[in-house]
Amino acid sequence: MKRFLLGTIALFLAVALNAQISFKPSMTQTAPDEITISFAGTIGSGWHVYSPTEKNGPIPATFNIDKIEGCKLVGGLTANKAATTKYEDMFGANVSYYENSVTFTQKVKLTGKTYLIEGYLEYGACNDESCLPPTSVDVKYSGKGVEAPAKEDAKEEAKKDSKEENADGKALEEEAAAPADTVAADTASVQEVAPMSGNDLWTPVIDELKSFGESNAAEGRSLLTIFLLGLLGGFIALFTPCVWPIIPMTVSFFLKRNKDDKSKGVREAMTYGASIVVIYVVLGLAVTLLFGANALNSLSTNAVFNIFFCLMLLVFAASFLGGFEITLPSSWSNAVDSKAGKTSGLLSIFLMAFTLALVSFSCTGPIIGFLLVEMATSGSVVGPTVGMFGFALALALPFTLFALFPAWLKSAPKSGNWMNAIKVTLGFLELAFALKFLSVADLAYGWRILDREVFLCLWIVIFAMLGAYHAGWIRFPHDEEEWDEMGEKVLHHKTSVPQFFIALVSFAFAIYMIPGLWGAPCKAVSAFAPPMTTQDFNLAKSESIESEYKDFDKGMQAAIAAGKPVMIDFTGFGCVNCRKMEAAVWTNDRVKELINEDYVLIQLFVDDKTPLPEPIEVTQNGQTRKLRTVGDKWSYLQSTKFGAQAQPFYVLLDHKGHPLNHSASYDEDINKYIDFLETGLKNFKK
């Protein structure tokens, strides 16, 4: 009883605080055939309401339709001012939001003699500590529309409408499609909060959950990891045909130009290396400034970005395999080179370094492009800059070292076909990662064009062909022909020792993935491959964990009957990290045993668009909102009872709905997850 009272008091305090957020709807007729619906919002201090275009944070502001007659939406929901974009630790990304006040507007075109429009504004709000569930503001407007146009005018109107629809493109389609998932019967009565109020299982336990300590969520990629990734990319770029042959020529140039003062030659070579670092660090800064940190963080889930980078990597792969050369306009490098020859001092050396960056782009460009994508999705605004610093440092280091120790140049590997072999290897790897980006978009939007077995088939072929290349069975356009001592062409390629081991690893990896076509977990590729649930033909059905309980109250009743604690999995159909956890962690034997034998698993999909039999009306933020879909209901449960919104989100409960351990989220550390489950089980037995 004491816990119930404390939870109730905490809930009322939150409601009283959040009542500062309110939206007042209004309607004005802005033209004979147009009305504008406005929502004037007041946002309390410390709270944020999120932009209609927001994709990284919580629920964005949207206008949704329940019923519409004699009119149609024009475009999407817009705001009267620009949004603020800022990095928020809660989401690990940059999000766009409004503070203090904002007015949202939705234009509606009248098409009939009378019109009726019923809908609602839905928005999400957060402060620095927590988020509120989606909140809605209902509107209903009706009135006289426009007189029926004459026949000739009707044709012109139809043409005009067609042009407008084409101009709006997907925005109009999405607005028109949105009601399909949320329509309730016009005469349906509103269901009161029966499952929520008067049910102890729905009582907030946010403070109890916090008393167990922080969640075991994995942190984003650290800056050190990003730096090392860039450093590795720089070392790989060094050994390409566009960079390696330039090193001895450049170092010799500085030493010969200053043969009477070798220390000056060393200083100039070091300045040349420092200039390379500056150029690529500026490139990393430019990527963030030009695209915006918000857009960069959208890369991890946004379909448009992922498809774009899939296509980009396919082009880079074709270039590395010898299909064509990706080069910048020769006039650029010629102009910079000419300018460097006419100047002297530091500017001349800097321009020479800039010429190297332009000339070597055909080899470094694909590597830089891939690295920037990975760094941009790291969750850190400075990720691209730190990564480019590592890349440039590796690229510049040899120029300085060979200037300090010229004798090393004699023992350095000579240019040859081995450099093209590195390019071809990179081409195969970029081809494989292109499929990874396509898979992210496919999973997030549920297209099902790249199921798990299709993905594995393509990767098996790619790595088998990589092994065949290094074994000498296939050749590409830029591979040099080999000649014997008699000057005759060698028909059979001689495989070097490094190529033998690369071929061995490639063939072994391809064979390792073959059982995955019949349902083997293939944990080494679980972070890249689509989840097991997309597999059409699966002989290993026991590998996956599925719950028969998709309803919170029914699952709790089953747990009481079975005498077992409850594990709730807040998940989503489009949740990529949820699928990764299921593939990489839930397939562990001990984890499966604990979940299947010792817990009653309840899986709640927060993006389930199945309409509820009747809308559920709740009061929150001092306003009334309606839960229209199953997903709305479970999202409301997660935010009000547990104070969380991100997925995956795992929580362990006793039979009264109280937590048994801290929550857990995305973290592929199996030992941590086992400890999370075992601790909850021990606390339940106490």
Side-chain angles (χ1 to χ4, degrees), residues 242-263:
C242 311
V243 179
W244 187 257
I246 297 176
I247 296 175
M249 292 189 297
T250 304
V251 173
S252 299
F253 170 78
F254 286 123
L255 294 179
K256 288 179 181 178
R257 189 169 75 169
N258 302 281
K259 55 185 175 182
D260 296 331
D261 187 356
K262 291 186 177 181
S263 61

Side-chain angles (χ1 to χ4, degrees), residues 300-359:
S300 60
T301 56
N302 184 272
V304 175
F305 278 118
N306 277 281
I307 291 173
F308 170 76
F309 283 110
C310 169
L311 296 175
M312 183 184 74
L313 290 181
L314 289 175
V315 172
F316 287 161
S319 172
F320 272 160
L321 294 175
F324 48 83
E325 289 289 339
I326 300 176
T327 57
L328 296 174
S330 58
S331 58
W332 293 10
S333 56
N334 292 337
V336 175
D337 191 37
S338 175
K339 188 70 175 176
K342 295 177 182 179
T343 57
S344 59
L346 292 177
L347 180 59
S348 174
I349 297 173
F350 179 82
L351 291 174
M352 288 178 63
F354 195 58
T355 303
L356 169 69
L358 295 176
V359 171

Side-chain angles (χ1 to χ4, degrees), residues 37-61:
I37 300 174
S38 301
F39 298 89
T42 301
I43 306 170
S45 177
W47 287 87
H48 303 153
V49 172
Y50 293 86
S51 166
T53 59
E54 177 56 45
K55 291 182 171 61
N56 294 320
I59 301 298

Side-chain angles (χ1 to χ4, degrees), residues 456 460 509-518 522:
L456 290 177
I460 289 168
F509 186 56
I511 295 172
Y512 164 80
M513 290 186 287
I514 290 176
L517 299 177
W518 292 275
C522 296

Side-chain angles (χ1 to χ4, degrees), residues 90 214-220 581 646 648-650 662-669 672:
M90 185 184 301
E214 294 297 324
S215 166
N216 64 347
E219 297 181 357
M581 285 292 291
F649 183 79
Y650 310 104
H662 59 67
S663 62
S665 51
Y666 176 68
D667 188 345
E668 293 188 23
D669 189 323
K672 278 187 181 180

Side-chain angles (χ1 to χ4, degrees), residues 69-97:
E69 295 176 359
C71 57
K72 65 179 181 179
L73 301 183
V74 179
L77 192 69
T78 58
N80 67 331
K81 63 179 183 180
T84 300
T85 300
K86 185 179 178 181
Y87 183 84
E88 289 194 359
D89 294 331
M90 185 184 301
F91 309 108
N94 284 272
V95 295
S96 300
Y97 58 82

Side-chain angles (χ1 to χ4, degrees), residues 270-280 346 349-351 353-354 396:
M270 295 177 69
T271 303
Y272 183 82
S275 299
I276 294 175
V277 174
V278 171
I279 289 168
Y280 285 104
L346 292 177
I349 297 173
F350 179 82
L351 291 174
F354 195 58

